[in-house]
Amino acid sequence: MSDLLVEYLYIVSAVLFVLSLKFMSEVRTSRLGNFCGVAGMGLAVVATLGAFQVGRVDLLVGGVIIGAALGAPIGLKVAMTAVPQRTAMSHAFGSLAVALVGAAEYYQGAPAIDTFTLSVLSAEMILGFLTFTGSCLAFAKLQGLITGRPILFRGRTVVSLTTLGAAVASGVLLVAYPGQEYLLPVMAALALLFGFQLVVAIGGADMPTVIAILNSFAGLSAAALGFVLNNKLLIVAGSLDGSSGLILALIMSKAMNRSFVNILFAGVGAHPVAAAVQPGEQGRTAQTYTVEDVATILANAQRVVFAPGYGLAVAQAQHVVKELADVLQARGVDVKYAIHPVAGRMPGHMNVLLAEAQVPYEQLWEMDRINPLFPETDVVMVVGANDVTNPAARTRADSPLYGMPILDVDKAKTVVFIKRSMGAGFSGVENDLFYNPNTMMVLGDAKKVVGELVSAMRKQST
Amino acid sequence: MTPLTSADLEVDLLIFLLSTLLGQELIRHVSRLLHTPLMALTNAISSVSFVAALIVLSEPGSELVSLLAGVAVALAATNIVSGFLITDRILRLFERRKPKK
């Protein structure tokens, strides 16, 4: 295959990738979008195999077999609740692959590498390695292998910036002395350490933003590798991925009214006890109710809104919530779901979980659209959502949540709050909503409580 | 590897900037409903770094170089396979929910 033909096939492949994202913009064409992605990838691989004689067929075949053996079960079996972990793992794999190819390029060319190429290569490797450990840690947090709370220590900002500075300095030294091969592992180790430090301090509530930022990093490192190899397809694919991560990170941080710097360095929720108002401290008591009380309220409701949060997903309550919604709808009740942009653990995650439970997506209402409707809503059922419904975000200037756009569920006539305990949410801030006179707290596992509600409502019907 | 000429660099930079801008435009128009499958899809697409690993495997190099590229092949292949498969699985969930006409 001639070089020219390969270049043209790469162009077709790049166009397919662009079309792939274009078709992803709406549900109707989205599967075609995925197909375009597959086609673009297939074409890129075929063109490359045609143009370059892969000497180490054993490594190629072995790698592909391992990749297919790992990838197929991950792609086919991972539960929808675990999609964020899968995504974090995929960022880790992608960025490590890019960093390793960078290292291979260096060892192959050193010391006869021009300064520019080596500079990009160093930057690419630092970005790739730090994204690798950062993503591994995000995976561990999402998987519950380590605590979701931020792990902080005094002076950590200084320590992590020093680590990053040292990684960059060893990269600069490598560019200055391309023959000093030992500098590469030093640089890699420092970048790996920095990635770890970056994510260890980030709490669960910030995960949707962090995943998006790591996505952006993974894409950028792939684009940088494209510069090193002068491979334009890699530049296109990498920058599309980088853009996607950046846009999603911006949407997520806007939804939380936080800046990237704040998310990466502030460590909200690190001191839950200090930040939270102790229950009863101000003589406040929450009213707890039973399932029967809620069933009575629901029996008289005309408009009901569900406000689902990640707690719903953890309890796997999405199916039983849909069941309750069906029972209500059968009685002529108007049912909607209020979706906060950061509900769930990655951008758009709640939509996937509700789609899995076959909730019709006409019933899914984004925050901006549903907020004006709360005053005329009879009952809001908050299931496993806490921080995104906390009115302190509007009223208390001293709250870490202050300024974050929330679902205005407190404006509804009645709020039913289903929660395992009176504890604080991811942010470590207690929810003022618990103490509102029109809030009914129902303590218990979301799946169990909603399941009991379904049977109570069914009994009423007959 | 061949050093980049300044003409190559210029073209590469142009491509980078244009595709970043194009990416921003495209992603902005993606429904919020689809942000999770979008991320799975872009992950899979950026695993075209598989191609980069193939190119390295085609160049003569030491055992270390080949080994690094070989591991990269396995990692990128994992992402390609799992990324496209899971994207399709998520999209099928949404497709089932299409409003009936």
Side-chain angles (χ1 to χ4, degrees):
Chain A
M1 207 182 282
S2 75
D3 283 359
L4 195 63
L5 179 59
V6 177
E7 291 295 323
Y8 280 111
L9 289 178
Y10 278 176
I11 292 174
V12 178
S13 174
V15 170
L16 282 167
F17 288 156
V18 169
L19 284 177
S20 174
L21 295 191
K22 166 94 188 123
F23 288 136
M24 264 318 266
S25 61
E26 50 179 317
V27 175
R28 195 170 50 83
T29 53
S30 56
R31 285 189 76 191
L32 178 61
N34 195 41
F35 177 76
C36 284
V38 175
M41 186 65 71
L43 193 61
V45 172
V46 169
T48 310
L49 288 175
F52 298 88
Q53 292 300 313
V54 173
R56 295 296 303 271
V57 179
D58 54 336
L59 287 173
L60 168 61
V61 174
V64 170
I65 290 174
I66 293 173
L70 281 175
I74 294 173
L76 295 170
K77 295 273 184 265
V78 162
M80 288 300 146
T81 36
V83 164
Q85 290 91 303
R86 206 267 349 158
T87 307
M89 191 198 287
S90 146
H91 294 153
F93 282 21
S95 54
L96 183 62
V98 165
L100 293 182
V101 173
E105 273 295 295
Y106 167 79
Y107 284 120
Q108 195 194 34
I113 304 182
D114 64 288
T115 305
F116 172 77
T117 306
L118 191 49
S119 312
V120 180
L121 203 50
S122 299
E124 180 263 303
M125 281 188 276
I126 291 175
L127 195 57
F129 282 121
L130 77 86
T131 308
F132 172 67
T133 38
S135 302
C136 285
L137 213 62
F139 173 84
K141 289 193 172 196
L142 289 164
Q143 186 69 33
L145 301 176
I146 57 171
T147 172
R149 291 216 177 275
I151 299 162
L152 298 181
F153 55 91
R154 280 171 76 87
R156 67 173 194 93
T157 307
V158 177
V159 173
S160 42
L161 289 180
T162 307
T163 312
L164 178 63
V168 172
S170 44
V172 171
L173 280 174
L174 187 66
V175 174
Y177 307 100
Q180 303 296 313
E181 293 194 357
Y182 70 90
L183 284 168
L184 190 141
V186 171
M187 180 184 78
L190 288 164
L192 289 167
L193 189 61
F194 174 72
F196 180 85
Q197 291 168 347
L198 190 66
V199 178
V200 78
I202 295 173
D206 286 327
M207 274 304 158
T209 319
V210 171
I211 293 212
I213 292 175
L214 291 169
N215 186 42
S216 188
F217 284 0
L220 279 179
S221 59
L225 182 61
F227 275 89
V228 174
L229 297 171
N230 192 18
N231 182 306
K232 294 170 180 64
L233 181 60
L234 214 54
I235 298 178
V236 173
S239 46
L240 290 177
D241 190 31
S243 295
S244 149
L246 179 66
I247 294 265
L248 296 181
L250 285 171
I251 293 174
M252 293 299 111
S253 58
K254 196 177 154 214
M256 301 185 73
N257 192 37
R258 312 260 308 275
S259 66
F260 289 173
V261 177
N262 191 262
I263 286 167
L264 295 176
F265 295 103
V268 168
H271 310 290
V273 183
V277 176
Q278 292 301 310
E281 181 188 302
Q282 301 174 341
R284 306 190 295 180
T285 43
Q287 307 287 323
T288 56
Y289 290 83
T290 64
V291 167
E292 286 69 31
D293 301 329
V294 179
T296 317
I297 294 283
L298 282 177
N300 297 308
Q302 285 307 306
R303 294 190 180 86
V304 174
V305 173
F306 288 93
Y310 187 69
L312 168 140
V314 176
Q316 286 282 328
Q318 68 268 39
H319 303 282
V320 65
V321 164
K322 165 71 165 51
E323 236 183 289
L324 180 59
D326 286 346
V327 172
L328 290 171
Q329 266 194 306
R331 299 170 149 225
V333 176
D334 175 60
V335 175
K336 291 186 176 71
Y337 293 78
I339 312 293
H340 191 278
V342 292
R345 309 187 105 181
M346 70 182 278
H349 190 205
M350 190 53 68
N351 293 315
V352 175
L353 298 172
L354 294 177
E356 191 187 20
Q358 305 204 33
V359 171
Y361 57 67
E362 306 85 71
Q363 289 182 3
L364 305 184
W365 288 55
E366 297 289 344
M367 178 175 69
D368 296 341
R369 280 208 308 151
I370 195 122
N371 269 349
L373 302 182
F374 281 119
E376 49 205 70
T377 299
D378 298 313
V379 181
V380 177
M381 306 275 300
V382 182
V383 189
N386 195 346
D387 295 334
V388 298
T389 59
N390 193 340
R394 285 200 311 264
T395 54
R396 286 172 176 246
D398 60 339
S399 167
L401 296 176
Y402 187 68
M404 174 176 132
I406 54 160
L407 295 169
D408 295 331
V409 296
D410 55 319
K411 294 183 178 164
K413 289 178 190 126
T414 305
V415 179
V416 174
F417 211 113
I418 302 172
K419 208 172 175 308
R420 262 181 312 190
S421 70
M422 292 294 288
F426 266 137
S427 69
V429 184
E430 193 170 63
N431 196 339
D432 288 348
L433 196 57
F434 299 168
Y435 306 100
N436 266 11
N438 60 346
T439 299
M440 302 170 73
M441 296 299 298
V442 183
L443 298 182
D445 173 72
K447 192 175 176 179
K448 189 166 157 282
V449 170
V450 179
E452 286 169 8
L453 260 176
V454 172
S455 3
M457 297 300 291
R458 286 217 172 108
K459 247 182 245 156
Q460 277 182 11
S461 305
T462 50
Chain B
M1 95 183 95
T2 45
L4 273 179
T5 67
S6 63
D8 285 338
L9 177 62
E10 201 185 309
V11 174
D12 286 356
L13 258 178
L14 185 67
I15 291 176
F16 175 70
L17 293 174
L18 288 180
S19 31
T20 300
L21 288 174
L22 179 62
Q24 308 275 321
E25 269 316 295
L26 288 168
I27 307 298
R28 248 182 249 287
H29 288 102
V30 174
S31 154
R32 285 203 170 179
L33 206 57
L34 296 174
H35 280 173
T36 293
L38 168 74
M39 207 178 258
L41 177 71
T42 52
N43 271 181
I45 288 177
S46 73
S47 298
V48 78
S49 57
F50 181 82
V51 162
L54 288 186
I55 294 173
V56 175
L57 278 184
S58 75
E59 297 164 346
S62 66
E63 193 61 20
L64 175 65
V65 170
S66 306
L67 206 64
L68 289 171
V71 175
V73 163
L75 293 168
T78 308
N79 270 1
I80 291 173
V81 174
S82 68
F84 286 124
L85 283 176
I86 205 158
T87 307
D88 193 60
R89 252 178 83 210
I90 300 171
L91 292 177
R92 282 207 310 265
L93 293 177
F94 283 110
E95 201 168 55
R96 269 198 321 200
R97 313 285 1 114
K98 260 184 199 165
K100 289 185 183 69
K101 286 184 184 138

